[in-house]
Amino acid sequence: MNKRANRVYWLLLIMMLIFGFSMAIDGIRADKHKNDQVQDAYAQMTTEVTTVEITTEMSSESMESSELTTLTDEEAKQKINNFYSGQVFMGDSIMSGFATYTSTKEAPEWLNNVIFLSKVSWGISSVLGDNNGPMYQGKSRNIKESLSMINPQRIFINLGINEMNGLGSPGYSIDKLIGKYGELITGLKEAAPDSKIYIINITPCTEERETPMFSNAVIKEFDKALEESAKTWGVTYLDLAGEFGDVLEPELSSDNFVHHNNKAYSEKWVPFLEKVALNDN
């Protein structure tokens, strides 16, 4: 009996140990499954939040893009034409070259509606006192008389290249030339008080034709003074020279010096002026 009782005792003990181990394993498995469920739920929640954020961002971007409006080619063309139609471009031989360019095949149509008042060898100091100025309505007139008759909304000026060579002369300086430019602006405002005035700065010369008396360094110095003075005069400064860079490339010059050819007008002047019109509000 004792032996049998001992066997029963050990058998029960073994069964209890097996049951205990089984319960422990099931508990571990249950905890792991619960942890997996928690992790899955967290991952799903994170995905949902990220999706909401991305959707929100996309919606915001869509709204922003829907608010942006771009002009069609026809609308841009019309805006440029309206901006320059009946407006005055005045200047020296470089501007006269631009006027000649308008008759070429590559010239845009809007240039046909511009009024050119330009004259070869014109200078800042000589414009107001020149009674034999550019032709307007069949007669050579003083610029103030022509502007009074036209009364344009906008006047674009490109003058000063003819004075660059004299800046090295005794008693002649950039400051004095800027003073003359200021007198010119005052005279133009008197002749056309309702006109908005735009100053187109002086473009560079070719590198091989530079001299101590006529250099791109002096042209840049003058343009910088002109830009600063334009604010005081209440006029708009246009940096056309920036389109050409530090020097005038020979392929853009008609005389390998300062004058421009049709390539320069087509590839530099026209795109630049069209951007001016399109950026106008």
Side-chain angles (χ1 to χ4, degrees):
M1 290 289 295
N2 289 336
K3 289 182 179 181
R4 185 175 181 179
N6 287 336
R7 287 180 187 154
V8 171
Y9 172 78
W10 285 111
L11 182 61
L12 288 174
L13 181 60
I14 291 170
M15 290 178 65
M16 290 178 66
L17 290 172
I18 292 172
F19 179 77
F21 280 124
S22 177
M23 291 292 292
I25 290 171
D26 287 342
I28 292 171
R29 286 176 177 174
D31 288 340
K32 183 178 184 301
H33 180 66
K34 184 176 181 180
N35 288 335
D36 289 342
Q37 287 182 324
V38 171
Q39 290 178 357
D40 290 342
Y42 176 77
Q44 183 177 2
M45 182 176 65
T46 305
T47 302
E48 290 175 354
V49 171
T50 304
T51 302
V52 170
E53 290 176 349
I54 293 174
T55 304
T56 303
E57 290 175 1
M58 289 177 64
S59 298
S60 177
E61 290 175 359
S62 299
M63 288 196 316
E64 289 178 359
S65 61
S66 66
E67 292 173 357
L68 295 175
T69 56
T70 55
L71 296 176
T72 63
D73 290 343
E74 189 59 36
E75 289 172 336
K77 183 178 178 181
Q78 189 60 49
K79 182 174 182 179
I80 294 168
N81 184 68
N82 292 341
F83 186 81
Y84 289 114
S85 182
Q87 310 314 311
V88 170
F89 278 66
M90 58 176 288
D92 48 40
S93 54
I94 294 178
M95 187 64 78
S96 294
F98 194 30
T100 302
Y101 163 78
T102 62
S103 62
T104 63
K105 293 181 180 179
E106 61 264 31
E109 291 183 10
W110 61 265
L111 270 174
N112 295 326
N113 300 319
V114 168
I115 300 172
F116 285 94
L117 299 177
S118 58
K119 186 176 178 179
V120 175
S121 298
W122 239 13
I124 296 167
S125 304
S126 60
V127 172
L128 292 180
D130 188 2
N131 291 325
N132 294 311
M135 295 286 292
Y136 180 65
Q137 292 190 350
K139 181 180 177 181
S140 179
R141 305 174 188 271
N142 179 278
I143 190 69
K144 293 177 72 174
E145 180 184 357
S146 296
L147 290 176
S148 296
M149 295 171 66
I150 300 168
N151 192 28
Q153 286 181 288
R154 303 176 183 90
I155 302 170
F156 297 85
I157 312 168
N158 180 232
L159 287 166
I161 195 67
N162 290 312
E163 278 94 348
M164 290 299 100
N165 197 46
L167 287 178
S169 304
Y172 201 53
S173 65
I174 288 178
D175 287 340
K176 286 189 176 182
L177 186 55
I178 291 295
K180 289 291 184 182
Y181 215 126
E183 293 176 15
L184 171 62
I185 296 299
T186 300
L188 297 180
K189 287 184 174 182
E190 291 173 354
D194 297 325
S195 300
K196 183 174 181 179
I197 298 175
Y198 298 77
I199 293 177
I200 300 173
N201 64 2
I202 300 176
T203 52
C205 67
T206 57
E207 189 172 21
E208 63 182 273
R209 295 289 296 274
E210 283 188 276
T211 69
M213 298 282 287
F214 196 110
S215 69
N216 284 312
V218 173
I219 291 174
K220 286 182 180 179
E221 186 179 353
F222 174 77
D223 282 343
K224 183 179 180 181
L226 190 60
E227 182 179 12
E228 294 173 354
S229 298
K231 300 172 185 177
T232 304
W233 299 333
V235 301
T236 301
Y237 177 86
L238 299 179
D239 183 22
L240 175 62
E243 301 297 308
F244 288 86
D246 294 331
V247 299
L248 176 61
E249 298 297 335
E251 64 176 14
L252 299 175
S253 178
S254 62
D255 61 353
N256 198 29
F257 185 28
V258 296
H259 293 95
H260 300 164
N261 58 22
N262 289 345
K263 182 179 176 65
Y265 292 123
S266 178
E267 297 183 5
K268 301 298 183 181
W269 282 70
V270 168
F272 177 78
L273 292 171
E274 287 182 346
K275 283 189 290 186
V276 170
L278 293 175
N279 290 333
D280 180 72
N281 296 319

